Amino acid sequence: MSAVANVTFFHHAGFMVSVEDTLMIFDYWRGENGELNQQNQLTEKDLEGYSRILVFVSNDDLDHFDPAVCRLDDQKYPITFIFAADMKDSPLVKKESVFLAEGDTETIDGVKVEAFASTHSGVSYYVTAGDVRIFHAGTLNLWHWREESTLREIIQAEEDFYDAVAPLTRLPMDIAMFPVDPRMGGMYEAGANHFVMAVKPRLFIPMH
């Protein structure tokens, strides 16, 4: 990776990543009660000076999709909105957007976007901007509640998660944003640990 990538964390699973003249915004959310301080919120000033801006939404969960992103001025700024395919019929999304399902690939002004599986809803995104490879997991994780889930549920969750991660092990990855959610109770980091060992991203950023 020779290009410099700058990463800004907003809240929960929301990030902004810039690589040279490309800006990428992932799963922006201001919080259930707008608890993200106003000075730390995404503004149009953040969009200035970029040749291309990609706004990603991995799923329609409340904490991954803030409709405020759809109000960004794509007439004034070079914005492309990218949503999970199952959000296509949502009245909240911009219809003139790119919709990707697992296995889909789209190249947008030289930036390659690939959609991979999630174990909850929507998709995860693997993005190649210049020579920087970025992964945003969305809600891909080993979702189990060790103190509450049955053994059968845990085994099924593990199988689904390992199957979803397997294709990612073949990909070089510079930056990975991945859920580490302590609300899950015991072994809440099990998915993240497997992901790091199997995929080996250069930089792992916990979220959620």
Side-chain angles (χ1 to χ4, degrees), residues 101-163:
E102 178 187 347
D104 289 346
T105 299
E106 187 85 16
T107 299
I108 302 163
D109 195 16
V111 178
K112 185 178 181 182
V113 180
E114 300 172 71
F116 285 86
S118 171
T119 47
H120 175 58
S121 60
V123 295
S124 53
Y125 291 114
Y126 179 80
V127 185
T128 304
D131 62 353
V132 181
R133 289 71 56 98
I134 301 159
F135 181 73
H136 189 283
T139 53
L140 170 64
N141 196 9
L142 176 50
W143 295 112
H144 62 70
W145 282 256
R146 212 70 181 182
E147 291 81 15
E148 301 174 30
S149 301
T150 66
L151 180 59
R152 182 178 301 228
E153 288 170 339
I154 292 171
I155 291 172
Q156 186 63 58
E158 289 177 341
E159 290 179 356
D160 293 344
F161 177 67
Y162 297 152
D163 287 346

Side-chain angles (χ1 to χ4, degrees), residues 13 27 58-59 61 64 102 115-126 135-144 157-169 171 173 176-181 184 188 190-196 199 204-205 207-208:
D27 284 10
S58 67
N59 64 86
D61 285 4
H64 287 256
E102 178 187 347
F116 285 86
S118 171
T119 47
H120 175 58
S121 60
V123 295
S124 53
Y125 291 114
Y126 179 80
F135 181 73
H136 189 283
T139 53
L140 170 64
N141 196 9
L142 176 50
W143 295 112
H144 62 70
E158 289 177 341
E159 290 179 356
D160 293 344
F161 177 67
Y162 297 152
D163 287 346
V165 170
L168 300 171
T169 62
L171 302 173
M173 200 172 290
M177 295 156 277
F178 190 94
V180 180
D181 195 330
M184 294 167 60
Y188 71 91
N193 287 336
H194 175 79
F195 179 85
V196 168
V199 180
F204 177 88
I205 304 176
M207 67 180 190
H208 226 266

Side-chain angles (χ1 to χ4, degrees), residues 59-89:
N59 64 86
D60 62 0
D61 285 4
L62 171 68
D63 54 357
H64 287 256
F65 174 40
D66 191 326
V69 297
C70 292
R71 295 193 289 271
L72 295 174
D73 190 348
D74 58 345
Q75 301 302 311
K76 181 178 179 182
Y77 299 99
I79 301 174
T80 301
F81 295 91
I82 302 154
F83 294 93
D86 56 9
M87 298 178 67
K88 194 168 189 176
D89 295 328

